Amino acid sequence: MPKKLSRRLQELQSKVEERPYEPTEALKLLKETATAKFPESAEAHIRLGIDPKYTDQQLRTTVSLPKGTGQVVRVAVIAKGEKVTEATNAGADIAGSEELIGEIQNGMMDFDRLIATPDMMPQVAKLGRLLGPRGLMPSPKGGTVTFDLTQAIEEFKAGKLEFRADRTGIVHVMFGKASFSAEDLLLNLKSLQETIDRNRPSGAKGRFWRSIFISATMGPAIEVDIPSLRDMKAAEAA
């Protein structure tokens, strides 16, 4: 049975035409339709011409949003010896070694990003079943397996995000807060688009970009004109 839409969402959907919007126009509409009683995020849902069941068509990478995410990111670090102290001094919210692995095994998940040094990964591997479904398992591709803890912590706290295409080839990623200016959201969205293009899987054939929709957390989907976004220079977005 189809889910009944609330009156609020029905009214918001009536403001959105079924057509691709120029990026700035789409972002202004996103802000206009962010009427929930809590600070909503700005989300992008991008359908790509890939089939991730093939290894050469998978997309997993990171993007550093120039205007940040608008969120406080809690970073945990699993390391050993002096690296634990380095992580703490660099601003990690939680840092530890075997004892931290034990706490996570017992259900402690008070973090948004988990970074591990390469020498700890054999022990971190046992956390795969817990962390994998939550998207928290450290990985080299995601920039979360590294000895350069200071840089990694600073980047993730400043707005670096890890994202991947799901099994249907769609990327779901938060690219800011609806309270951001349309100009700041455009800078972040443009950075996301350029990152996806730079990391186009080698096995992707034919039309790579199929559709892109943006929305506030509780708002209606707004289609963005792909050629307009891709043709826009970063300087224009700024």
Side-chain angles (χ1 to χ4, degrees):
M1 185 175 177
K3 187 177 179 181
K4 187 176 180 181
L5 296 177
S6 67
R7 179 179 298 177
R8 184 189 74 87
L9 190 53
Q10 288 179 20
E11 290 175 355
L12 294 178
Q13 284 188 335
S14 69
K15 297 182 179 183
V16 181
E17 299 174 21
E18 289 190 16
R19 64 174 177 88
Y21 284 81
E22 184 274 329
T24 301
E25 185 184 14
L27 290 163
K28 288 179 178 177
L29 189 55
L30 180 151
K31 290 176 60 62
E32 185 183 335
T33 54
T35 61
K37 295 179 180 179
F38 63 90
E40 296 181 70
S41 296
E43 302 173 355
H45 307 276
I46 302 163
R47 187 164 66 92
L48 301 172
I50 56 176
D51 186 349
K53 73 180 180 184
Y54 300 105
T55 56
D56 64 349
Q57 294 189 48
Q58 294 173 359
L59 175 68
R60 181 175 184 178
T61 187
T62 60
V63 59
S64 292
L65 299 176
K67 296 300 179 178
T69 62
Q71 293 183 320
V72 175
V73 180
R74 299 168 300 170
V75 175
V77 175
I78 296 175
K80 65 171 73 171
E82 294 180 356
K83 284 292 180 180
V84 175
T85 304
E86 178 187 331
T88 302
N89 292 340
D93 298 274
I94 306 168
S97 192
E98 288 84 357
E99 76 284 358
L100 180 52
I101 292 174
E103 289 177 29
I104 294 172
Q105 285 179 312
N106 290 329
M108 193 283 289
M109 292 286 176
D110 298 334
F111 51 87
D112 306 299
R113 188 69 56 206
L114 179 63
I115 299 170
T117 51
D119 56 342
M120 290 299 295
M121 283 306 293
Q123 291 162 273
V124 174
K126 67 181 75 170
L127 301 174
R129 288 186 180 181
L130 284 171
L131 300 175
R134 295 174 170 83
L136 291 171
M137 189 66 184
S139 75
K141 282 188 177 180
T144 46
V145 177
T146 178
F147 279 119
D148 193 347
L149 298 178
T150 299
Q151 181 178 347
I153 293 166
E154 288 176 353
E155 287 179 343
F156 281 110
K157 285 201 171 270
K160 185 176 181 178
L161 288 176
E162 180 182 0
F163 65 91
R164 66 194 305 171
D166 67 15
R167 58 190 177 87
T168 65
I170 299 176
V171 171
H172 306 276
V173 62
M174 185 271 291
F175 64 100
K177 289 288 187 181
S179 58
F180 285 13
S181 69
E183 293 76 17
D184 285 354
L185 286 173
L186 182 56
L187 275 171
N188 281 355
L189 186 61
K190 180 62 182 173
S191 182
L192 177 61
Q193 171 259 307
E194 290 178 340
T195 298
I196 291 174
D197 273 330
R198 279 197 305 271
N199 290 276
R200 175 175 176 150
S202 60
K205 307 298 181 186
R207 188 158 61 99
F208 184 47
W209 288 77
R210 299 297 175 86
S211 67
I212 172 170
F213 286 83
I214 61 172
S215 70
T217 305
M218 301 296 290
I222 303 161
E223 187 172 3
V224 176
D225 184 68
I226 295 169
S228 296
L229 179 64
R230 295 181 79 193
D231 291 345
M232 183 179 291
K233 306 297 182 187
E236 293 177 47

